[in-house]
Amino acid sequence: MSYNSYLRGIGAVSAVLLVTACAVPDRVTETYRSPQLDDAPFDKLLVVDLSRSAIQRQEAEDRLTKLLAVPPRTVTPSHHILGLDALDGGQIATAAKELGVQVVLVTRVESIRADVEKLEDRADVKVSCRRGEPYDLFLYDYEELPIPDEMVIKQQVILTANLYRAGEGTHLWGIQSECFEQASVNDALSRHANHVVTELTRARLIR
């Protein structure tokens, strides 16, 4: 392989790294903060996810519970008490009262927009060593290998999290996460869970 072909191979790798480095970051916005937060921070929470899929709801609640359940906090996912059937406000209020929690944290996927991108005219680089020391680049052969066209689906997912006082149901706090270029909704839910914990901590709403 010629030196020019070697440089083209290095350039292709650099371009991939550049695209990865320029991925669009998530956008997190605090949408509401009540002035009535004198009793914060809280350490007894009920987590409720409103995903339509029962499996997705269970995974979202368990993921958030795992992140939040750090002593002295006591955190319960709603499906442990209410199962995975359809929820209503009365059931949630009753469960919160029975558990003696201070607040109910409700998460939800608000919207999903999918963009399909076709990748074509790409090449990967196969590296093979002839002989010599492994740190000597010029003892390696670099062969360009064509890669078939492929379709990449990137999703923009908007999610919300809202905190309510147990019993009276007063809205205390809320955020919205916009997760860009996600391969799946589960990826976005995972990122959203991290944002929720970070923002609750920053707002001094959890102990």
Side-chain angles (χ1 to χ4, degrees), residues 4 21 34 40 48 67 80 84 89 92 100 106 139 147 171 180 193 198 204:
N4 286 337
S34 170
V48 179
L67 291 172
H80 279 193
L84 291 170
I92 295 171
V106 180
L139 292 176
I147 300 177
H171 189 198
F180 301 94
T198 298
R204 299 182 180 179

Side-chain angles (χ1 to χ4, degrees), residues 16-60:
V16 171
L17 294 175
L18 180 61
V19 169
T20 303
C22 295
V24 180
D26 297 344
R27 183 185 300 136
V28 182
T29 307
E30 186 175 78
T31 55
Y32 181 72
R33 183 181 178 88
S34 170
Q36 301 174 359
L37 288 169
D38 295 340
D39 52 341
F42 306 107
D43 56 15
K44 295 180 180 178
L45 301 89
L46 174 64
V47 173
V48 179
D49 182 76
L50 299 181
S51 295
R52 293 182 181 179
S53 161
I55 294 175
Q56 194 173 82
R57 174 188 159 204
Q58 179 176 347
E59 290 177 348

